[in-house]
Amino acid sequence: MTDTFHLEFTVNGRLRVLDIAASHTLLDVLRDDIGLTGTKECCVVGECGACTVIVDGRSVNSCLMLAAEADGADVLTVEGLAPSGQLDALQQAFLDTGAAQCGFCIPGQLMSARALLQRTPHPTPEQINEALAGTLCRCAGYEQSRQAVLAAAEEVGS
Ligand code: FES
Ligand code: FES
């Protein structure tokens, strides 16, 4: 018999209450139990960053975190950046700079960048590189992403 866990947490501003398999990761719950597939599943061993979400203001690899550890937490996923369907400044900047090619890494990059801008509204290029280093991109490289984060920081901070 599978052990279950009663999970209550907030995802993108909405309270979620559900019984999950105790072994499920946060990534499993977001994608399979809640249906938020914007968070990508790739290596599932903490190497690629495609599964990055923000938990209580901190970017985490959701494939490495048991969902039970998120009990009571406030989780933001890529779907939460545009709740009304209108792109936020960061998403628009990624689009404008051409950072999004195949797009697979972009949710993770966006969430890493969002976490950075929340704690450091005017980051240096080095801080941006450091924030994005955990999310692997095989298509566009990082220059466009770095430019996008700088542009978003200027727009939000201006
Ligand atoms: S899927 Fe989580 S780090 Fe790769
Ligand atoms: S845009 Fe394709 S992996 Fe980054």
Side-chain angles (χ1 to χ4, degrees), residues 86-101 106 110 140 143-153 155:
Q86 173 138 12
L87 300 184
D88 80 349
L90 195 54
Q91 290 172 306
Q92 188 62 52
F94 268 68
L95 205 56
D96 293 344
T97 62
Q101 295 292 307
I106 297 301
L110 284 168
E143 181 54 28
Q144 294 98 322
S145 301
R146 188 160 63 88
Q147 292 303 326
V149 180
L150 281 170
E155 181 173 335

Side-chain angles (χ1 to χ4, degrees), residues 13-124:
R14 177 176 162 191
L15 178 65
R16 300 280 190 161
V17 179
L18 60 168
D19 291 316
I20 59 163
S23 60
H24 272 190
T25 64
L26 178 57
L27 178 62
D28 293 330
V29 169
L30 291 173
R31 288 181 58 87
D32 301 335
D33 294 291
I34 297 180
L36 293 176
T37 54
T39 303
K40 298 306 175 199
E41 179 172 359
C42 187
C43 72
V44 299
V45 291
E47 296 286 344
C48 74
C51 65
T52 302
V53 299
I54 299 177
V55 178
D56 289 337
R58 195 170 54 90
S59 65
V60 303
N61 289 333
S62 60
C63 70
L64 292 183
M65 184 174 188
L66 281 174
E69 295 177 274
D71 193 42
D74 189 9
V75 176
L76 184 69
T77 73
V78 69
E79 289 90 348
L81 296 183
S84 63
Q86 173 138 12
L87 300 184
D88 80 349
L90 195 54
Q91 290 172 306
Q92 188 62 52
F94 268 68
L95 205 56
D96 293 344
T97 62
Q101 295 292 307
C102 82
F104 193 81
C105 71
I106 297 301
Q109 288 204 22
L110 284 168
M111 301 319 290
S112 297
R114 169 55 77 95
L116 170 67
L117 293 177
Q118 280 176 353
R119 65 178 184 273
T120 310
H122 298 288
T124 64

